[in-house]
Amino acid sequence: MQNDERYLYSQPVLDLITVSAEYCKYLEQSQGKELKDFLRVMCGLLPMIYLKTTLLDDVPETAGWNEKKVTEEDYNYVRSSVAAILGEHDDFLEVFVEDFKYSEQPVLCTVSENLADIYQQLRELVETFREGYDESMEVALYETVDEFRLQWGQKLLNALRALHDLKSSSLVD
């Protein structure tokens, strides 16, 4: 596993961990933030997270399981903090969701739930790397990249599109 261990400490992996930690920290401390500041930070961090995740080449598939670290309370705190900041702008219509396959109408989604879903995935990764056990880190990195392809990458893009639209509108000073 020499190659896998070296991969865990490669610059692309460390870059993803760094930007993920910044994202999680910002969301955890976002309660009471101004909408304009929140939009500026999220419209900067989300593309970085997307880029850093796509730059990871061939993450080795690793069997295993890590105990979950993010609680339902953590998730709900982040979701409700974001929802409070966005207020009436939290909802957006989306066609790139699973439910749209069964509907002729766009599906109502919330930025807060998408950002909380991303938070949950990235917080698990950051906390696992913080613990420093290579085997657990390999599992967490593989799961994060695999889930990025399956679900949270699209959620990131959906939320970013809605945030960009809001930031670019005349609704925010």
Side-chain angles (χ1 to χ4, degrees):
M1 289 241 171
Q2 187 87 7
N3 291 337
D4 291 346
E5 288 175 12
R6 239 190 329 260
Y7 185 77
L8 282 176
Y9 300 99
S10 68
Q11 197 60 53
V13 172
L14 296 178
D15 288 348
L16 175 62
I17 300 302
T18 301
V19 72
S20 296
E22 286 300 314
Y23 173 79
C24 293
K25 179 181 173 185
Y26 186 82
L27 287 181
E28 289 164 354
Q29 298 173 356
S30 67
Q31 193 170 42
K33 297 274 188 202
E34 295 292 324
L35 177 59
K36 188 174 182 178
D37 180 54
F38 183 81
L39 292 172
R40 180 184 56 78
V41 172
M42 284 296 114
C43 287
L45 280 175
L46 291 172
M48 290 295 294
I49 293 167
Y50 191 90
L51 173 65
K52 296 304 181 183
T53 306
T54 60
L55 291 176
L56 297 179
D57 296 328
D58 300 325
V59 174
E61 184 170 353
T62 306
W65 179 83
N66 287 328
E67 187 172 327
K68 297 301 177 198
K69 295 150 184 62
V70 177
T71 65
E72 187 175 345
E73 290 80 21
D74 297 332
Y75 177 94
N76 286 331
Y77 176 80
V78 167
R79 188 195 52 70
S80 64
S81 294
V82 173
I85 294 167
L86 294 173
E88 66 185 17
H89 307 295
D90 191 23
D91 295 339
F92 67 99
L93 296 176
E94 189 53 64
V95 295
F96 289 108
V97 292
E98 187 68 26
D99 293 343
F100 184 68
K101 292 178 182 175
Y102 310 107
S103 170
E104 294 181 14
Q105 300 296 319
V107 176
L108 186 66
C109 296
T110 63
V111 172
S112 59
E113 188 171 341
N114 282 348
L115 294 184
D117 288 347
I118 297 163
Y119 166 83
Q120 183 173 19
Q121 185 73 53
L122 295 180
R123 190 66 177 161
E124 296 288 349
L125 177 68
V126 168
E127 289 304 315
T128 301
F129 267 71
R130 189 169 282 144
E131 291 172 354
Y133 299 109
D134 286 353
E135 296 81 13
S136 297
M137 290 162 49
E138 290 169 7
V139 170
L141 185 62
Y142 175 75
E143 287 176 352
T144 299
V145 173
D146 191 48
E147 287 297 311
F148 172 79
R149 285 190 285 269
L150 295 174
Q151 56 127 348
W152 73 265
Q154 188 64 55
K155 289 181 180 188
L156 184 152
L157 293 172
N158 296 348
L160 180 59
R161 186 178 48 77
L163 291 171
H164 171 78
D165 186 53
L166 180 57
K167 184 175 186 245
S168 300
S169 74
S170 60
L171 298 173
V172 179
D173 298 340

